[in-house]
Each structure stands twice: as C-alpha cells, then as structure tokens.
Amino acid sequence: MTAEPDSQPHQKIDRFEKERLRKVDQLIEMGIDPWGQRFDGHIPISRCRELAPAESGQDGEQVRAAGRIMRRRKAGKLRFYDIQDATGQIQLLVSRGDVSDEQWALLSALDLGDLIGVDGPLRLTDTGEISIFVEKITVLCKSLAQPPEKFHGAKDTEMLLRQRYIDLIYNPGVVERMQKRSRIIASVRQTLGTRDFLEVETPVLHAIAGGAAARPFITHHNTRAMPLFLRIALELHLKRLMVGGIERVFELGRVFRNEGIDATHNPEFTMIEIYQAYGDYASMMELTEAIVCDAVKSISESLSLQWCGSEIDFTPPWPRLKYADLLQEHAGCQLGDEASLTAKARELGIPTENVHLDVLANELFEATVEDKLMGPAFVIDYPASICPLTKRKTDNPAIAERFELFVQGMELANAYTELNDPKLQEQLFQTQLAGLSDEDSMARMDHDFVRALKVGMPPAGGLGIGIDRLVMLLTDTRTIRDVIFFPLLRPEGQAPATADGANSEGKPQ
RNA sequence: GAAGGCGUAGCUCAGUCGGCAGAGCAACGGACUUUUAAUCCGUAGGUCGUGGGUUCGAAUCCCACCGCCUUCACCA
C-alpha cells in the first residue's frame, strides 16, 4: 500500500485544551497542585450569603468557600469572579492590594470552569453585591474544557443529554429538579414506612420475565449456561414474599422493557410495587392518594400544581370512573357488544379479525379515552380477560378488580385486588387471548409462582407506580429523559463498538 | 420501525438566487481598583455531521449514511 501523507485521520487539536494545559504547567512551576487536595472547613455558599453584612462598609465574617468559576470580570487591579457550589453562587472580589504577589500571579492561570477555594471576609461592594473579599485562593481542580456561552448557556439537546454534567452545572433548575426527585422518593418511602411496609430487594435477573406485558431484555449467565431476562416487573417475587408471611411489602427499583423510546418511555425506568395483605384495590386507591399527596406536599405548599400549562389539583378523593362507562361515553361502545365494538374499531382503522372482544375494547379504550383523562382519576373495573393476575368481582367474573390512575392522559399507577386462586392463576397463565402475541400477553406460565400460590397467599391489594412519571408530573417536566440523569442514547461517533465493548473514545491505555 | 425537522468556530447563532466562511460570547495580547451579559484597543480561531454525486464553482442542489428532536407505531 502506498502511504499517503493525509490518509491518517489527524487528531483534532482543541486549542482551548492546549491553552489550559499550558496553565497547568504554569501552576506546577509555581509549586501548585493543579488538581487540588482535601479542603476542610469551607461552608456552603448559601450560608455565606446569610452571613453577609447588611451594608457596604461593614466587615462581615471571615469565611472559606469552594466552587466553580462561572463568570469573571476584570477592572484593572481588581478582579471579580462568580463561583458556584451546590447551594448557589457568590461573587469574589480580588484586589491587588489584598493578596500576595504569588496569589496575584496565580490569577493568570485560572479559567472559567476551574474549581477553587477561597478565604476572606464577607463584605458588600459599592454596588451592594455580597462578595468574599479574597485573601487567599486555593486551586482545587483545573478544568481543561471550555465552558458554554456565559449568557445563553448550553442549549444543544444532544450535548445536554450526553454530557449531563454540563447541563447540571450551567442550566439552573436541573439540579433542583433532581433534588425534588430525591425528596419525592424519600416521601414515598416515608409514607409506606409509617404504615409498616417492609422495603425489600428481589432479583433483577429473571428466568421468566413475568408480571407485565412487555418485551424483555435478554442476557446470559456464562457458567450456568442459561438465558436470563432483565425484569419487566416486580410483581411475582413480591407476591411470593406475601405467601411467606410478609404482609406489607414494597420494592422500589429499576425495571427494563425492550420497547420504544419517547417522551414518556425509557428502556430502564423506576417503578415501585406495593402489596398489602388483607386489602383490595379499593384500599390501594386510598394508599395511592396518600402516597401521591404526601409526595406533592414534600415539594410544594399546595396540592395544586402547574404542569406544562395545565393545572393539576391533587386534592383527594379522586374520581373513580368505571372502565365500561368511559368506553360508552367516549367510544359509544358497550363491553362485550360485538356490533358496536367492531363498528367503532373499523371507523378508527383498528383490525378486528381474530381479536378477542375485550382486547378490541381495550384498544378502543386506549385510542379514545386515555388521552382525555386529565385526572387525577382512577379508572376502575377492567375486563377480566385482559387481567390474568387480578381477582374477579365476586358478583361478576367478567370484571376484574383493577384500577389504573391517569393524570394528564398519562398512566401513572396500576393496581389490583390480587388473584390468589392457584388453580385459576394456572389456567389464566395458559390462556392466550386471540389477537395477543406471546410477547404482548401478561399470561406467561410460571410454575414456581403457581406452586407458591398453592401454599396460600392472603387476599391482598397490589399497586405499581411509575416513579419517573410521578416525578415528571410533580416537577412540571415534559419528558422522562429530564427526570433521568442518563437516559439511553445511541453511541457517539462513527466507530462501531467492537465485540469486547471497547471503542475509540480515548479510554486510558 | 415510519414520516418530518435539525446538525456551520469551544458555546449561542446568522449565512439571501450556488460565487472568497460571518457575528456575539469565550480564548490570546494590551488598558482599566467597585464590576456583575463590565468597557475599550488588538490578535487568533472552521473536515460547514460523514461519504458520494451534479456543477467552472456546493455550507447552500441531489443521493446514501450517522446522531439528536418531534409526531406516529410498540409500551408504562
């Protein structure tokens, strides 16, 4: 092969990184560690602001703070820096007269994005800005990356998702949203804790991916030479624990569904499932109201919240709307009435050949009703045939004691009076409804689960809540990827991933 | 999986009919002791997502591919 001088893709030289590396060397020459060391005794910037004096001219407390340089301004032998930590921002004022020659020289090696620590008294500037009048600067970490534009910030969606740390640093509200997520989850745990529910952890790797209708991710255990599935639900293990005498139990964890990605779906998401022995779906409605209202109160004064321009009033009790009534109202069909169901389905272009009437009804329900449920509202009493894990109504075996909670057209929770009849469960696992593929069906035979039911599971209510969606609704967030730090993205760049998972992404050798 | 939109300097964005690649911020050099999107003078910075094609000439037109977004399908 002829060697062509330009055939090698030459490494792109980032002139900003080059410049900053020059400053790293400059710091090393000054005897300063560019990457910093333990830094004790600093206080949060929000606290600094509280400690500031009321008027300019007054001397405030001597403080030590640490943060990232967000902006800077020069005015001759005065330098202003705005630094940011997890609690806020504060201005630094460095005056040539207040610092040593070495410290003044150090300023020339500082850049936007660097992490520094400072010591000095709190004072107000002439314009009244709370400032730390710096006496000493400690370099805590040099940044080699050029930050986004100081006024417009970072806006490119792809960059914000791939480099969420940029989003976190430079876009106000991102950290706050995730802090609310944390408070919401803590609130859910507390609501359940005060009601004596036991939090447990069950396997993520399942031999049978049951408990919901979804395509699973498939993986493989090498030494056991067995296929495994990532869990699509928490249900069947938690019910086994109820058989074992744990009467109030819940698990909050990640589940995985190999489906499409959009504003309300990410392949891995966080779900909570809760089971209460000797309850039913009605008791789960009350529990749902308590969990959600407590969560709202954990982040808001009011039970009424704004969401994407709409107002959601969470004040309980929420309406209980019957599935059949809603279908009648919005689709003009009656459950089990072939004529009206197929007529409406044809009108909407939904295939009717070889489809169980209840499956058809449910497709009509999803097409005509769900978007209109602004809620919060419980849809109750589903057709039993599409609920293979649910107890039937005593007076009407065609109806299952199931509810789904809808808010803003989004399904937020799903709950049953749990089926505990092992023979009926076994039978339902074997029944595939016409029009549903194996993948689409919740009915997936799990002999071990049936064996557990034979030991005796108490009558119970069970409830599942989509945590990410709950956080979306409570934080005025339109897409699920903004309540998840690192949503799934395709790999970056042209180089395809190799079999051992290595890629061209400048990994350390 | 389908359709539509987007991809230009580190960032935010212009770029007209196909005719020399632009601005602001950031960077670099300089002035300035109360600034806060500081100001002023100067300098440098580009694989126009990638690869083809049409053309005398392509950021611009055509084709394919990659990535992100939106809507739809699947799903919670």
Side-chain angles (χ1 to χ4, degrees):
Chain A
M1 258 184 101
T2 314
E4 294 171 40
D6 288 327
S7 63
Q8 294 292 327
H10 58 89
Q11 191 75 31
K12 192 176 179 184
I13 300 157
D14 185 331
R15 60 188 200 279
F16 296 100
E17 182 173 330
K18 206 173 163 188
E19 186 61 32
R20 284 165 182 249
L21 284 169
R22 186 183 65 75
K23 292 174 182 174
V24 167
D25 291 339
Q26 188 183 336
L27 287 170
I28 292 169
E29 274 172 36
M30 294 169 78
I32 293 167
D33 179 356
W35 312 112
Q37 298 292 334
R38 174 171 172 165
F39 190 65
D40 288 331
H42 63 285
I43 61 174
I45 282 173
S46 59
R47 182 71 188 133
C48 291
R49 302 191 73 91
E50 290 166 8
L51 292 171
E55 292 171 29
S56 49
Q58 293 178 323
D59 242 357
E61 281 195 49
Q62 188 80 15
V63 294
R64 166 171 271 202
R68 189 181 299 274
I69 301 174
M70 302 296 285
R71 284 170 300 277
R72 63 174 161 182
R73 297 166 291 282
K74 285 170 76 171
K77 296 193 168 50
L78 268 190
R79 304 292 163 86
F80 298 92
Y81 297 84
D82 296 334
I83 64 166
Q84 169 177 291
D85 74 2
T87 69
Q89 295 192 359
I90 196 166
Q91 175 172 273
L92 310 178
L93 183 152
V94 187
S95 169
R96 178 65 189 90
D98 290 350
V99 296
S100 67
D101 292 350
E102 290 74 19
Q103 288 272 301
W104 189 253
L106 162 63
L107 297 182
S108 69
L110 292 183
D111 283 303
L112 296 178
D114 290 352
L115 297 171
I116 58 171
V118 294
D119 291 274
L122 285 160
R123 288 187 199 130
L124 301 188
T125 60
D126 289 355
T127 51
E129 181 75 26
I130 296 171
S131 307
I132 300 173
F133 280 58
V134 173
E135 291 167 348
K136 180 161 186 280
I137 294 173
T138 307
V139 175
L140 295 175
C141 184
K142 189 79 194 133
S143 169
L144 298 182
Q146 190 68 8
E149 213 257 1
K150 69 177 172 185
F151 187 65
H152 298 94
K155 287 191 170 162
D156 178 63
T157 322
E158 190 173 351
M159 179 175 68
L160 299 181
L161 296 176
R162 288 194 193 282
Q163 302 178 247
R164 183 67 93 180
Y165 36 87
I166 299 288
D167 199 16
L168 286 162
I169 295 167
Y170 294 100
N171 287 331
V174 180
V175 172
E176 193 187 345
R177 182 185 301 131
M178 296 312 276
Q179 284 169 336
K180 282 184 180 173
R181 179 182 174 117
S182 172
R183 290 217 296 278
I184 289 164
I185 289 172
S187 162
V188 171
R189 285 200 161 98
Q190 194 185 339
T191 303
L192 292 168
T194 58
R195 286 167 171 76
D196 296 321
F197 283 85
L198 180 73
E199 179 167 8
V200 299
E201 293 175 275
T202 64
V204 170
L205 297 175
H206 287 189
I208 299 166
R215 298 168 61 187
F217 285 92
I218 305 169
T219 185
H220 182 260
H221 190 279
N222 285 342
T223 61
R224 294 283 169 94
M226 65 191 288
L228 286 168
F229 302 96
L230 271 58
R231 65 184 177 189
I232 59 172
L234 313 172
E235 178 140 353
L236 301 184
H237 282 102
L238 294 177
K239 284 181 174 174
R240 285 175 173 96
L241 294 180
M242 271 200 300
V243 170
I246 303 179
E247 295 178 354
R248 291 177 169 229
V249 66
F250 76 95
E251 177 167 7
L252 198 161
R254 207 72 60 85
V255 296
F256 307 84
R257 297 188 183 178
N258 206 338
E259 310 280 0
I261 301 172
D262 64 27
T264 54
H265 298 87
N266 194 62
E268 51 179 303
F269 63 103
T270 302
M271 180 136 113
I272 187 169
E273 288 197 24
I274 305 154
Y275 293 86
Q276 179 180 336
Y278 311 116
D280 66 2
Y281 76 144
S283 45
M284 298 326 272
M285 286 184 226
E286 289 159 28
L287 183 61
T288 305
E289 287 170 338
I291 288 169
V292 173
C293 289
D294 285 353
V296 173
K297 285 184 234 161
S298 76
I299 57 155
S300 157
E301 303 276 303
S302 160
L303 275 177
S304 194
L305 292 178
Q306 286 294 123
W307 191 78
C308 298
S310 314
E311 173 141 356
I312 310 174
D313 185 356
F314 286 98
T315 308
W318 306 330
R320 276 75 166 155
L321 309 171
K322 285 197 170 151
Y323 185 95
D325 295 348
L326 288 165
L327 193 66
Q328 177 71 259
E329 183 187 339
H330 292 97
C333 306
Q334 264 187 298
L335 272 184
D337 176 31
E338 185 166 0
S340 64
L341 288 168
T342 50
K344 185 69 182 175
R346 289 209 183 92
E347 183 191 322
L348 297 174
I350 296 170
T352 58
E353 294 287 302
N354 240 345
V355 176
H356 189 283
L357 274 188
D358 287 339
V359 173
L360 190 60
N362 201 45
E363 285 177 17
L364 289 173
F365 187 90
E366 287 171 2
T368 62
V369 183
E370 290 191 355
D371 288 351
K372 300 189 178 62
L373 296 170
M374 291 302 107
F378 295 111
V379 175
I380 66 168
D381 295 348
Y382 280 64
S385 51
I386 59 168
C387 311
L389 298 161
T390 312
K391 196 188 273 286
R392 280 81 178 96
K393 285 190 111 55
T394 339
D395 56 356
N396 184 358
I399 298 297
E401 293 200 338
R402 171 182 183 180
F403 77 74
E404 292 192 340
L405 170 64
F406 284 87
V407 185
Q408 296 290 311
M410 227 190 292
E411 185 196 330
L412 187 61
N414 182 20
Y416 315 139
T417 302
E418 300 298 341
L419 179 62
N420 64 344
D421 173 344
K423 284 297 174 192
L424 180 56
Q425 182 68 82
E426 186 169 33
Q427 184 195 321
L428 292 174
F429 273 154
Q430 282 162 345
T431 312
Q432 292 294 340
L433 294 184
L436 284 183
S437 69
D438 181 51
E439 278 174 348
D440 292 336
S441 175
M442 247 190 270
R444 211 163 275 170
M445 178 55 74
D446 187 333
H447 291 291
D448 182 73
F449 177 65
V450 172
R451 181 173 66 178
L453 288 187
K454 285 180 181 171
V455 174
M457 185 182 86
L463 165 65
I465 301 174
I467 293 293
D468 310 280
R469 289 181 178 182
L470 178 64
V471 174
M472 285 171 65
L473 285 166
L474 270 46
T475 58
D476 197 10
T477 304
R478 202 175 47 82
T479 75
I480 196 169
R481 61 176 175 271
D482 283 337
V483 296
I484 293 174
F485 277 122
F486 303 105
L488 187 78
L489 294 176
R490 288 192 173 88
E492 206 174 356
Q494 276 98 337
T498 56
D500 60 359
N503 59 32
S504 61
E505 288 233 46
K507 292 230 175 95
Q509 303 298 314

